[in-house]
Amino acid sequence: MSKILISGGGIAGLTCAYWLHRQGHQPIVIEKAKQLRKEGYLIDFVGTGWDVANRMNLVPQLEQKALPVSGVRYPNSQGETAARFDLDTLKKALNITDKFMTLNRADLEEVLYDAVKNDVEVRFDCSIEHINQTAKAVTATLTGGQQETFELLVGADGIHSNTRELVFGNEAEFAAYLGYQVATCIIPAGIAIGDDLVTYNEPDRQANLYRVDDDEMLAFFIYKAADAGHVPQAKRKTRLQAKFAGAEWRVPEMLALIADDTPIFMDTVTQIMMPTWHNGRIVLIGDAAYCLTLISGQGASMAMGGAYFLAQALQQSPDYQTAFLQYENRLRPTIEETQEKARRFAPRFVPGSQFQIWLNNMIVKLSNISFFSRIIGKQFNTKSLLKTAEND
């Protein structure tokens, strides 16, 4: 049994903790947040992530959290429907009718946490201040100066990974900013939109709205901007108001429903690209190693897949060095391909002109015709990296 420190209590870290514990190791998860994060955005849960969750017997719990999105509607500035695609039609085109659900990212984390909390020690409000590794162990100085020694350290602490900064170098060495910033928050359910996810586009900025339940709606914004780095929580609402000044449709109402004390998640749309994901006894998974961005639609899925493959490699390999190489060699080709697709797709995800908005709407309309939906579906990678056998 190995004592393994996992830095980061998000999707990748909690998934890794589950599998390491199942294999007989002693994972300890530390998370700098004081509690489970509630902010997030909608994700299409499919492919590798769905299969990993299924092997964790979590699909029934996730289905209870699944959001009943019927389709995606694109209104014009007056609120008239310019285009809409039906989600069931798209799922048939992608051949994923029985392995697909729409989730709030925060709900996925909650289900993963519930799956490990009784078996794995999870320390909130805790992070790494210093790392010292030798040929035999990794010693981490944690919050408050406490030192602990582990056989291995897994960095699963997100795009702005502290582990990566301490071991591999400054974030700027690995970050590729795609030119957009994203913000999301929960607002009162004060706008009637039905069961569709509603996406309103203006050149270089987009506002999305979905009704979570009778009381709450998820507001999601993405816009083109120079890299502003970290924006303090107290300034995020003001920044959103400035970036969406003059916007039409229901955007002014969305902004007005954000209370001054509403927590807003805000970050850059940035990929992480590294020449290697491991250094000695330390290895990175998820966004810390290979952030795909939300534009890829595969971030959560690959976070779970990477965690699963790492744990599996540690179980099957004679030593950790071989395991780290096996994990990276298995996952890297898919990661690099997905990142490239996301970079190409970004200008279409947030159209930069009225013509591009019109063109996107035409493509959306065609997606409701089975012949064209199959062609469009080929542009999305929803295949699972897991084979059907349990021991793949």
Side-chain angles (χ1 to χ4, degrees), residues 41 158-160 164 171-182 222-223 225-230 265-273 286-296 299 339 342-343 346:
Y41 45 85
I159 183 174
H160 305 300
R164 188 184 62 231
E171 180 178 313
E173 298 179 39
F174 314 112
Y177 179 55
L178 298 192
Y180 303 91
Q181 293 190 308
V182 62
I222 184 168
Y223 53 93
D227 186 356
H230 175 74
F265 168 81
M266 181 174 284
D267 208 343
T268 62
V269 179
T270 298
Q271 292 181 342
I272 297 296
M273 295 181 286
D287 284 354
Y290 47 80
C291 183
L292 301 171
T293 75
L294 58 91
I295 292 176
S296 73
Q339 286 181 326
R343 290 193 295 271

Side-chain angles (χ1 to χ4, degrees), residues 111-334:
V111 169
L112 290 169
Y113 175 71
D114 288 343
V116 303
K117 66 182 181 182
N118 294 327
D119 300 312
V120 175
E121 181 181 358
V122 180
R123 306 176 190 173
F124 290 99
D125 199 17
C126 183
S127 61
I128 301 174
E129 296 180 352
H130 181 72
I131 296 171
N132 179 54
Q133 70 165 317
T134 66
K136 296 183 178 181
V138 178
T139 299
T141 304
L142 305 178
T143 301
Q146 176 186 355
Q147 288 190 341
E148 292 188 47
T149 299
F150 305 87
E151 276 77 13
L152 301 173
L153 167 57
V154 179
D157 39 359
I159 183 174
H160 305 300
S161 170
N162 179 49
T163 308
R164 188 184 62 231
E165 184 86 14
L166 291 170
V167 177
F168 295 85
N170 188 271
E171 180 178 313
E173 298 179 39
F174 314 112
Y177 179 55
L178 298 192
Y180 303 91
Q181 293 190 308
V182 62
T184 182
C185 62
I186 296 293
I187 60 175
I191 303 174
I193 58 170
D195 291 330
D196 281 343
L197 167 64
V198 182
T199 299
Y200 173 65
N201 283 306
E202 291 183 353
D204 292 334
R205 58 186 184 181
Q206 180 188 102
N208 298 265
L209 193 59
Y210 179 75
R211 181 175 57 83
V212 177
D213 53 36
D214 291 340
D215 300 317
E216 294 182 334
M217 309 185 83
L218 181 68
F220 169 76
F221 305 87
I222 184 168
Y223 53 93
K224 190 172 184 179
D227 186 356
H230 175 74
V231 179
Q233 183 69 234
K235 296 183 178 180
R236 293 178 183 179
K237 179 181 177 181
T238 301
R239 181 171 177 81
L240 269 181
Q241 290 171 326
K243 292 298 178 181
F244 282 84
E248 299 187 71
W249 184 59
R250 314 296 291 272
V251 177
E253 294 173 66
M254 292 171 64
L255 295 172
L257 287 170
I258 302 175
D260 290 340
D261 59 350
T262 297
I264 300 174
F265 168 81
M266 181 174 284
D267 208 343
T268 62
V269 179
T270 298
Q271 292 181 342
I272 297 296
M273 295 181 286
M274 304 182 67
T276 181
W277 301 335
H278 61 276
N279 180 321
R281 291 179 171 270
I282 301 166
V283 63
L284 304 177
I285 60 175
D287 284 354
Y290 47 80
C291 183
L292 301 171
T293 75
L294 58 91
I295 292 176
S296 73
Q298 292 289 306
S301 186
M302 287 298 101
M304 295 186 70
Y308 176 82
F309 290 145
L310 173 62
Q312 185 183 57
L314 287 168
Q315 182 182 40
Q316 296 175 349
S317 302
D319 52 65
Y320 72 87
Q321 296 100 325
T322 304
F324 289 174
L325 285 171
Q326 179 181 321
Y327 145 72
E328 185 165 339
N329 290 337
R330 185 171 191 183
L331 197 60
R332 182 176 285 277
T334 298

Side-chain angles (χ1 to χ4, degrees), residues 346-386:
R348 288 171 51 194
F349 190 85
V350 186
S353 67
Q354 287 294 347
F355 173 75
Q356 289 176 317
I357 293 172
W358 173 85
L359 184 61
N360 272 19
N361 289 340
M362 291 300 297
I363 294 172
V364 169
K365 291 177 180 179
L366 289 173
S367 71
N368 292 294
I369 302 172
S370 59
F371 172 76
F372 290 104
S373 66
R374 288 193 296 270
I375 296 175
I376 295 169
K378 292 180 180 179
Q379 306 303 311
F380 298 91
N381 181 17
T382 58
K383 293 182 179 179
S384 176
L385 295 179
L386 276 65

Side-chain angles (χ1 to χ4, degrees), residues 28-173:
I28 296 175
V29 178
I30 59 172
E31 167 56 50
K32 68 178 181 180
K34 295 183 179 181
Q35 58 189 3
L36 281 179
R37 302 176 190 273
K38 299 299 183 183
E39 68 267 17
Y41 45 85
L42 297 188
I43 58 173
D44 292 331
F45 195 63
V46 64
T48 302
W50 197 99
D51 280 348
V52 172
N54 190 44
R55 294 188 183 187
M56 298 169 73
N57 298 313
L58 295 180
V59 169
Q61 295 93 311
L62 291 172
E63 287 178 337
Q64 293 179 5
K65 301 280 188 179
L67 299 170
V69 179
S70 56
V72 181
R73 183 170 68 89
Y74 297 83
N76 60 22
S77 59
Q78 287 76 44
E80 302 163 335
T81 299
R84 182 187 182 278
F85 73 78
D86 182 81
L87 200 58
D88 286 338
T89 301
L90 185 62
K91 287 192 289 186
K92 290 178 182 177
L94 297 173
N95 196 29
I96 52 172
T97 52
D98 62 340
K99 291 186 176 184
F100 178 98
M101 63 183 87
T102 301
L103 295 169
N104 188 330
R105 186 183 179 95
D107 288 339
L108 174 58
E109 287 192 12
E110 182 180 354
V111 169
L112 290 169
Y113 175 71
D114 288 343
V116 303
K117 66 182 181 182
N118 294 327
D119 300 312
V120 175
E121 181 181 358
V122 180
R123 306 176 190 173
F124 290 99
D125 199 17
C126 183
S127 61
I128 301 174
E129 296 180 352
H130 181 72
I131 296 171
N132 179 54
Q133 70 165 317
T134 66
K136 296 183 178 181
V138 178
T139 299
T141 304
L142 305 178
T143 301
Q146 176 186 355
Q147 288 190 341
E148 292 188 47
T149 299
F150 305 87
E151 276 77 13
L152 301 173
L153 167 57
V154 179
D157 39 359
I159 183 174
H160 305 300
S161 170
N162 179 49
T163 308
R164 188 184 62 231
E165 184 86 14
L166 291 170
V167 177
F168 295 85
N170 188 271
E171 180 178 313
E173 298 179 39

